[in-house]
Amino acid sequence: MEAFLVSTGIVALAEIGDKTQLLAFVLATQFRRPLPIVFGIFVATVVNHFFAAAVGSWITNVLGPDVLRWVLGLGFLAMAAWIMVPDEIDENEPHTSRYGVFAATVIAFFLAEMGDKTQIATVALAARFEQIVPVVVGTTLGMMLANVPAVYIGKRAATAVNLKLVHGIAAVIFVALGVATLMGVGQAVGL
Protein backbone atom coordinates (compact mmCIF):
# COMPACT_ATOMS: atom_id res chain seq x y z
CA MET A 1 0.00 0.00 0.00
CA GLU A 2 2.94 2.35 0.74
CA ALA A 3 4.28 1.93 -2.81
CA PHE A 4 0.85 2.78 -4.24
CA LEU A 5 0.24 5.82 -2.04
CA VAL A 6 3.73 7.30 -2.39
CA SER A 7 3.68 6.73 -6.16
CA THR A 8 0.27 8.38 -6.51
CA GLY A 9 1.21 11.40 -4.43
CA ILE A 10 4.63 11.96 -5.97
CA VAL A 11 3.44 11.75 -9.56
CA ALA A 12 0.27 13.80 -8.99
CA LEU A 13 2.35 16.62 -7.52
CA ALA A 14 5.21 16.28 -10.01
CA GLU A 15 2.79 16.33 -12.95
CA ILE A 16 1.26 19.71 -12.06
CA GLY A 17 2.77 22.19 -14.49
CA ASP A 18 4.70 19.43 -16.26
CA LYS A 19 4.98 19.36 -20.06
CA THR A 20 2.52 16.46 -20.32
CA GLN A 21 -0.05 18.45 -18.34
CA LEU A 22 0.56 21.35 -20.69
CA LEU A 23 0.07 18.87 -23.55
CA ALA A 24 -3.29 17.89 -22.01
CA PHE A 25 -4.31 21.58 -22.13
CA VAL A 26 -3.24 21.84 -25.77
CA LEU A 27 -5.05 18.64 -26.80
CA ALA A 28 -8.22 19.73 -24.99
CA THR A 29 -8.10 23.10 -26.72
CA GLN A 30 -7.31 21.63 -30.14
CA PHE A 31 -9.78 18.72 -30.18
CA ARG A 32 -12.48 19.72 -27.67
CA ARG A 33 -13.31 16.04 -27.12
CA PRO A 34 -12.34 15.25 -23.52
CA LEU A 35 -13.31 11.55 -23.30
CA PRO A 36 -10.97 10.23 -26.04
CA ILE A 37 -8.22 12.50 -24.69
CA VAL A 38 -8.62 11.11 -21.16
CA PHE A 39 -8.61 7.50 -22.45
CA GLY A 40 -5.56 8.28 -24.59
CA ILE A 41 -3.72 9.71 -21.59
CA PHE A 42 -4.63 6.60 -19.57
CA VAL A 43 -3.41 4.13 -22.21
CA ALA A 44 -0.18 6.03 -22.90
CA THR A 45 0.54 6.34 -19.18
CA VAL A 46 -0.08 2.67 -18.37
CA VAL A 47 2.20 1.50 -21.20
CA ASN A 48 4.90 4.08 -20.50
CA HIS A 49 4.91 3.61 -16.73
CA PHE A 50 4.81 -0.19 -16.95
CA PHE A 51 7.94 -0.01 -19.11
CA ALA A 52 9.54 2.43 -16.65
CA ALA A 53 8.66 0.23 -13.65
CA ALA A 54 10.09 -2.82 -15.43
CA VAL A 55 13.35 -0.90 -15.93
CA GLY A 56 13.31 0.05 -12.24
CA SER A 57 12.79 -3.58 -11.26
CA TRP A 58 15.62 -4.66 -13.56
CA ILE A 59 17.93 -2.05 -12.02
CA THR A 60 17.16 -3.51 -8.60
CA ASN A 61 18.42 -6.91 -9.76
CA VAL A 62 21.54 -5.57 -11.53
CA LEU A 63 22.91 -3.27 -8.85
CA GLY A 64 23.93 -4.43 -5.40
CA PRO A 65 21.95 -3.13 -2.41
CA ASP A 66 24.61 -0.56 -1.40
CA VAL A 67 25.06 0.83 -4.91
CA LEU A 68 21.29 0.86 -5.45
CA ARG A 69 20.76 2.77 -2.19
CA TRP A 70 23.19 5.49 -3.28
CA VAL A 71 21.88 5.67 -6.84
CA LEU A 72 18.27 5.93 -5.66
CA GLY A 73 19.03 8.35 -2.83
CA LEU A 74 20.99 10.69 -5.08
CA GLY A 75 18.40 10.19 -7.85
CA PHE A 76 15.57 11.31 -5.55
CA LEU A 77 17.61 14.37 -4.54
CA ALA A 78 18.22 15.15 -8.23
CA MET A 79 14.48 14.81 -8.87
CA ALA A 80 13.86 17.34 -6.07
CA ALA A 81 16.01 19.86 -7.93
CA TRP A 82 14.59 18.95 -11.35
CA ILE A 83 10.99 19.36 -10.21
CA MET A 84 11.69 23.03 -9.52
CA VAL A 85 12.52 23.66 -13.21
CA PRO A 86 9.33 24.69 -15.03
CA ASP A 87 8.37 22.83 -18.18
CA GLU A 88 7.23 24.35 -21.45
CA ILE A 89 5.59 22.69 -24.41
CA ASP A 90 6.98 23.27 -27.88
CA GLU A 91 4.20 24.99 -29.82
CA ASN A 92 6.00 24.18 -33.09
CA GLU A 93 5.50 20.41 -32.74
CA PRO A 94 3.60 18.92 -35.68
CA HIS A 95 -0.11 18.38 -35.12
CA THR A 96 -1.16 14.72 -35.10
CA SER A 97 -4.91 15.24 -35.58
CA ARG A 98 -4.99 13.13 -38.76
CA TYR A 99 -4.78 10.02 -36.54
CA GLY A 100 -7.93 10.81 -34.59
CA VAL A 101 -8.22 12.24 -31.11
CA PHE A 102 -7.54 9.00 -29.19
CA ALA A 103 -4.56 7.89 -31.30
CA ALA A 104 -3.11 11.40 -31.42
CA THR A 105 -3.32 11.59 -27.62
CA VAL A 106 -1.74 8.17 -27.09
CA ILE A 107 1.14 8.94 -29.45
CA ALA A 108 1.72 12.47 -28.18
CA PHE A 109 1.53 11.52 -24.50
CA PHE A 110 3.69 8.42 -24.85
CA LEU A 111 6.41 10.39 -26.65
CA ALA A 112 6.17 13.40 -24.31
CA GLU A 113 6.50 11.13 -21.28
CA MET A 114 9.74 9.55 -22.54
CA GLY A 115 12.52 10.79 -20.25
CA ASP A 116 10.07 13.03 -18.40
CA LYS A 117 10.24 13.66 -14.66
CA THR A 118 7.32 11.36 -13.93
CA GLN A 119 8.78 8.53 -16.01
CA ILE A 120 12.13 8.82 -14.23
CA ALA A 121 10.27 8.96 -10.92
CA THR A 122 8.44 5.75 -11.88
CA VAL A 123 11.77 4.01 -12.56
CA ALA A 124 13.10 5.15 -9.18
CA LEU A 125 9.91 4.25 -7.30
CA ALA A 126 9.81 0.76 -8.83
CA ALA A 127 13.44 0.23 -7.86
CA ARG A 128 12.82 1.63 -4.38
CA PHE A 129 9.71 -0.39 -3.56
CA GLU A 130 10.38 -3.47 -5.74
CA GLN A 131 6.64 -3.69 -6.52
CA ILE A 132 5.76 -3.06 -10.14
CA VAL A 133 1.96 -3.27 -10.00
CA PRO A 134 1.35 -0.91 -7.04
CA VAL A 135 3.87 1.57 -8.48
CA VAL A 136 2.33 1.53 -11.98
CA VAL A 137 -1.22 1.78 -10.60
CA GLY A 138 -0.13 4.61 -8.29
CA THR A 139 1.81 6.57 -10.90
CA THR A 140 -1.00 6.14 -13.41
CA LEU A 141 -3.56 7.36 -10.87
CA GLY A 142 -1.29 10.32 -10.09
CA MET A 143 -1.08 11.19 -13.80
CA MET A 144 -4.85 10.94 -14.15
CA LEU A 145 -5.46 13.07 -11.03
CA ALA A 146 -3.32 15.83 -12.51
CA ASN A 147 -4.33 15.56 -16.17
CA VAL A 148 -8.07 14.82 -16.18
CA PRO A 149 -8.88 18.20 -14.60
CA ALA A 150 -6.50 19.80 -17.11
CA VAL A 151 -8.54 18.28 -19.93
CA TYR A 152 -11.92 19.27 -18.52
CA ILE A 153 -11.16 22.59 -16.89
CA GLY A 154 -8.33 23.75 -19.11
CA LYS A 155 -6.21 26.81 -18.63
CA ARG A 156 -8.48 28.29 -15.96
CA ALA A 157 -7.24 25.62 -13.53
CA ALA A 158 -3.62 26.25 -14.47
CA THR A 159 -3.81 29.88 -13.47
CA ALA A 160 -5.61 29.09 -10.20
CA VAL A 161 -2.87 26.76 -8.93
CA ASN A 162 0.32 28.10 -7.36
CA LEU A 163 2.82 25.99 -9.32
CA LYS A 164 5.81 27.06 -7.22
CA LEU A 165 4.07 25.86 -4.06
CA VAL A 166 3.03 22.54 -5.58
CA HIS A 167 6.51 21.97 -7.03
CA GLY A 168 8.03 22.93 -3.68
CA ILE A 169 5.90 20.33 -1.89
CA ALA A 170 6.88 17.68 -4.45
CA ALA A 171 10.55 18.65 -4.07
CA VAL A 172 10.33 18.28 -0.28
CA ILE A 173 8.83 14.80 -0.72
CA PHE A 174 11.63 13.84 -3.13
CA VAL A 175 14.24 15.17 -0.66
CA ALA A 176 12.63 13.15 2.15
CA LEU A 177 12.68 10.01 0.00
CA GLY A 178 16.30 10.69 -1.00
CA VAL A 179 17.50 11.27 2.56
CA ALA A 180 15.55 8.28 3.88
CA THR A 181 17.01 6.08 1.17
CA LEU A 182 20.57 7.30 1.78
CA MET A 183 20.12 6.72 5.52
CA GLY A 184 19.10 3.13 4.86
CA VAL A 185 15.42 3.44 5.65
CA GLY A 186 13.86 0.59 3.74
CA GLN A 187 16.60 -1.95 4.45
CA ALA A 188 13.80 -4.43 5.09
CA VAL A 189 12.99 -4.38 1.37
CA GLY A 190 16.58 -5.07 0.43
CA LEU A 191 17.88 -1.55 -0.09
Side-chain angles (χ1 to χ4, degrees):
M1 192 63 159
E2 180 185 10
F4 167 75
L5 293 174
V6 169
S7 297
T8 301
I10 284 286
V11 170
L13 288 172
E15 183 63 14
I16 295 175
D18 192 65
K19 71 180 174 200
T20 46
Q21 188 182 48
L22 297 174
L23 178 60
F25 290 135
V26 169
L27 290 170
T29 302
Q30 180 179 356
F31 294 122
R32 301 183 197 280
R33 294 189 50 215
L35 203 53
I37 294 170
V38 168
F39 285 132
I41 292 170
F42 177 77
V43 169
T45 300
V46 168
V47 172
N48 195 295
H49 287 199
F50 181 78
F51 172 73
V55 169
S57 180
W58 174 77
I59 288 172
T60 303
N61 294 323
V62 171
L63 301 177
D66 290 332
V67 173
L68 181 62
R69 182 170 54 95
W70 281 98
V71 167
L72 288 176
L74 294 173
F76 282 127
L77 293 175
M79 287 296 299
W82 190 12
I83 197 75
M84 297 306 294
V85 177
D87 279 329
E88 295 177 12
I89 191 161
D90 185 1
E91 295 291 338
N92 297 323
E93 289 181 12
H95 297 286
T96 54
S97 60
R98 69 177 179 211
Y99 300 115
V101 176
F102 173 78
T105 302
V106 170
I107 293 166
F109 246 80
F110 184 84
L111 293 175
E113 190 65 11
M114 296 301 289
D116 193 49
K117 296 170 194 165
T118 50
Q119 186 190 43
I120 303 301
T122 302
V123 170
L125 289 164
R128 169 72 171 85
F129 291 109
E130 298 183 43
Q131 299 176 21
I132 290 177
V133 172
V135 167
V136 171
V137 171
T139 58
T140 300
L141 178 59
M143 287 286 284
M144 299 311 288
L145 287 172
N147 286 308
V148 169
V151 171
Y152 282 99
I153 299 170
K155 292 188 180 184
R156 286 176 289 178
T159 58
V161 175
N162 183 338
L163 293 179
K164 285 187 179 187
L165 176 63
V166 172
H167 286 175
I169 292 168
V172 167
I173 293 170
F174 275 119
V175 167
L177 281 170
V179 170
T181 301
L182 289 172
M183 292 178 60
V185 176
Q187 292 287 55
V189 292
L191 296 177

